[in-house]
Amino acid sequence: MAGFNNFNNPQVAALPAHLKQFIVDQHYEHYTPIDHAVWRYVMRQNYSYLKDVAYYPYIPGLEKAGLTIEKIPSLQEMNDALGKIGWGAVTVDGFIPPAAFMEYQAYRVLVIAADIRQLNHIEYTPAPDIIHESAGHAPIIADKDYHEYLSYFGSIGAKAMFSAQDFELYEAIRALSILKEMPDADAAEIKKAEELLAYRQENMGEPSEMALLSRLHWWTVEYGLIGTLENPKIYGAGLLSSIGESSSCMDCGIKKIPYTIAAVNYSYDITTTQPQLFVTPTFQNLIDVLETFANTMSFRRGGTYGLQKAVDSENTCTAVYSSGLQVSGTFNGFTQHKGLPVFIKTTGPSALAVDNKQLKGHGKDYHKDGFSSPVGKLKGHALPLEDLSVEELNYFGIEKGKTTELNFESGITVTGYVMKIHASNGKTQLITFENCTVTDKDGEELFKPEWGVYDMAVGDKIVSVFCGAADKAAFLEIAYKSNTATHHIAYDQNTKELHKLYQQVRNRRQTGGDFGFLGNVWMMLQKHHQDDWLCALEILEILDHEGVELKLADEIRAFLENKANMQPEFKKLINDGFYLIKHPVEQKLVV
């Protein structure tokens, strides 16, 4: 299934180019019979167990999201179902950067890793996979209160400041998750990757806004509980998609804490089970906590606080003047006076916008070497310059076609010939000069006439600073993208033969027919694939449910019981499989 087919969904079609770059083809035909068996096993376990411990909409939400027990969902099926509740879905290659992930949520698009976990990681994988994303996230989205929180979180997260250390941590997490999903991964390489991740986690310095926001995301969207401390229900996708941790998380040994803004102080480790979980009484409480945190962020605080965050990030950011003018670029410095910014400066390609739409003639090509401008009031003026009408500007000598001198309270002086005055939304936002000189209070030249035309932003204050460009489409911003590709297995002949055996059992379960060949499948498993347990369990399920070949069923059961006793890592998986044979779930979900 090609990625462009996903654009039949209006939410996906509305995605900007810098997000579409992460979309990959699902390649449904690459899923093996073992992959479908893994999906089926997990979904049956989820349906059996989670109906009692998951937040109520989970089970009905599975069907609303286009998911069935029997097979891995196609992306088009999910898009058709999610489209009915105003959401969409795309497939991506493993972990994508947090900022991009958040922005997808803001567009109400679910990001789904195209790959599926390997059989030896059936209980849990640190790598994102189609089980986690579709069977974990998608069903809860059917709840209106929750999907409102999810999209609102995305809109907040898309503006969060991030640091170079955030990117380094992201790369370490992605690399380790990929390694752990490789069936032939070298133990020394995994240990090295784990040590690098631990090192980067311990040397993050002061956490960025994105790092702190990611914690709130982890303790809610991924590992959240809802209800009371005594009787919580699961809604976090990380728990819903882990048949191991969805059970163990309810143990009294896992501390349950009321969800408040204090959760931002708890870091997390994706490679292990969580030592504590947070319980929210309602989804509205999630929004309240998010709002509390958002009030501390640069996009709401602006000023010197926000500008310093922009400088520290060393990435494209946007500063918003009180006039509404937006300056996008890489901020490399600013001057302050009495705690307020009085001059800002970007380096490299920059752009100007209003209402997130780039101003004509003020894109990256024009401002290719950066942008700089004063901030603040003119000396001796009660009203900010932005609030003066054209007549008032003319009265003070600021008139198109005339030379003027502007003296700011900060001591900055701008002298030049006025070429153009731009205003919108009742605010003066930009004055363009030629033959212009800009000096600071000490007489140092900040702009010289020989440098060309000078565009001066107008605004009393910097009211907001956020991550990314104001008009991402016009800025042609390419979001950070990892060069580390996920691992795709090249199956040997022996594994391909095992796939055929799984397919034969699958065909028999779906179409019925003679039982005789199941004995042959079992014989081939015993002869060439004695490490397998899931195919054997599926054969036993068919024989037990239809009450045939009892001698063969007893032989397979004995084999599985022995494997469970001799290999403890399989004990819970096999015993849970036995339970489902005796307590079968419906093959098609019914709400």
Side-chain angles (χ1 to χ4, degrees), residues 446-464:
L446 304 175
F447 191 89
K448 301 178 181 181
E450 57 265 32
W451 292 355
V453 171
Y454 184 65
D455 295 289
M456 188 192 81
V458 176
D460 182 30
K461 299 174 182 176
I462 299 296
V463 295
S464 178

Side-chain angles (χ1 to χ4, degrees), residues 298-436:
S298 300
F299 84 97
R300 288 192 178 170
R301 291 181 64 175
T304 55
Y305 176 86
L307 288 169
Q308 188 59 55
K309 292 291 185 183
V311 171
D312 293 343
S313 78
E314 300 177 5
N315 287 282
T316 301
C317 295
T318 296
V320 185
Y321 278 77
S322 48
S323 65
L325 185 73
Q326 299 165 309
V327 179
S328 298
T330 301
F331 287 80
N332 64 337
F334 64 94
T335 305
Q336 57 178 305
H337 178 66
K338 295 182 179 179
L340 296 174
V342 295
F343 193 81
I344 65 170
K345 187 178 180 182
T346 68
T347 183
S350 302
L352 306 181
V354 174
D355 294 332
N356 298 323
K357 294 296 181 183
Q358 183 174 291
L359 294 181
K360 186 177 180 180
H362 289 282
K364 290 195 303 183
D365 293 339
Y366 180 68
H367 296 287
K368 61 182 184 300
D369 298 319
F371 180 85
S372 65
S373 184
V375 184
K377 289 182 179 179
L378 294 179
K379 190 182 298 182
H381 285 245
L383 282 176
L385 184 58
E386 67 208 72
D387 290 336
L388 299 180
S389 67
V390 174
E391 292 76 15
E392 289 170 325
L393 289 172
N394 293 344
Y395 175 79
F396 289 111
I398 307 169
E399 185 175 353
K400 182 179 177 181
K402 292 187 177 181
T403 297
T404 190
E405 179 176 291
L406 306 180
N407 296 297
F408 288 83
E409 290 180 341
S410 62
I412 291 174
T413 299
V414 178
T415 305
Y417 177 83
V418 179
M419 297 173 61
K420 192 184 304 181
I421 299 175
H422 176 85
S424 67
N425 302 328
K427 297 278 188 178
T428 299
Q429 296 164 328
L430 189 68
I431 303 176
T432 301
F433 297 89
E434 65 179 2
N435 193 28
C436 184

Side-chain angles (χ1 to χ4, degrees), residues 83-111:
K84 296 175 182 176
I85 57 172
W87 278 70
V90 296
T91 43
V92 300
D93 184 32
F95 276 115
I96 64 172
F101 184 88
M102 298 283 188
E103 197 169 357
Y104 271 107
Q105 282 185 197
Y107 279 91
R108 300 196 175 211
V109 173
L110 186 64
V111 175

Side-chain angles (χ1 to χ4, degrees), residues 221-341:
V221 176
E222 297 294 349
Y223 279 82
L225 300 175
I226 187 169
T228 64
L229 295 180
E230 298 74 26
N231 185 32
K233 300 295 183 182
I234 299 171
Y235 72 90
L239 295 172
L240 293 173
S241 61
S242 170
I243 56 178
E245 203 165 359
S246 62
S247 174
S248 63
C249 76
M250 290 301 178
D251 295 344
C252 57
I254 305 298
K255 188 176 181 181
K256 311 299 190 301
I257 305 172
Y259 181 69
T260 66
I261 191 63
V264 80
N265 299 318
Y266 289 76
S267 58
Y268 59 89
D269 183 350
I270 70 160
T271 65
T272 186
T273 55
Q274 307 309 308
Q276 76 281 311
L277 296 171
F278 293 86
V279 184
T280 184
T282 62
F283 288 139
Q284 181 58 48
N285 181 57
L286 302 185
I287 294 176
D288 294 342
V289 170
L290 177 60
E291 195 69 13
T292 299
F293 182 77
N295 286 334
T296 71
M297 293 173 64
S298 300
F299 84 97
R300 288 192 178 170
R301 291 181 64 175
T304 55
Y305 176 86
L307 288 169
Q308 188 59 55
K309 292 291 185 183
V311 171
D312 293 343
S313 78
E314 300 177 5
N315 287 282
T316 301
C317 295
T318 296
V320 185
Y321 278 77
S322 48
S323 65
L325 185 73
Q326 299 165 309
V327 179
S328 298
T330 301
F331 287 80
N332 64 337
F334 64 94
T335 305
Q336 57 178 305
H337 178 66
K338 295 182 179 179
L340 296 174

Side-chain angles (χ1 to χ4, degrees), residues 58 62 67 130-140 235-238 240-241:
Y58 178 74
L62 287 169
L67 307 178
I130 196 165
I131 292 178
H132 171 80
E133 309 294 354
S134 57
H137 286 295
I140 304 297
Y235 72 90
L240 293 173
S241 61

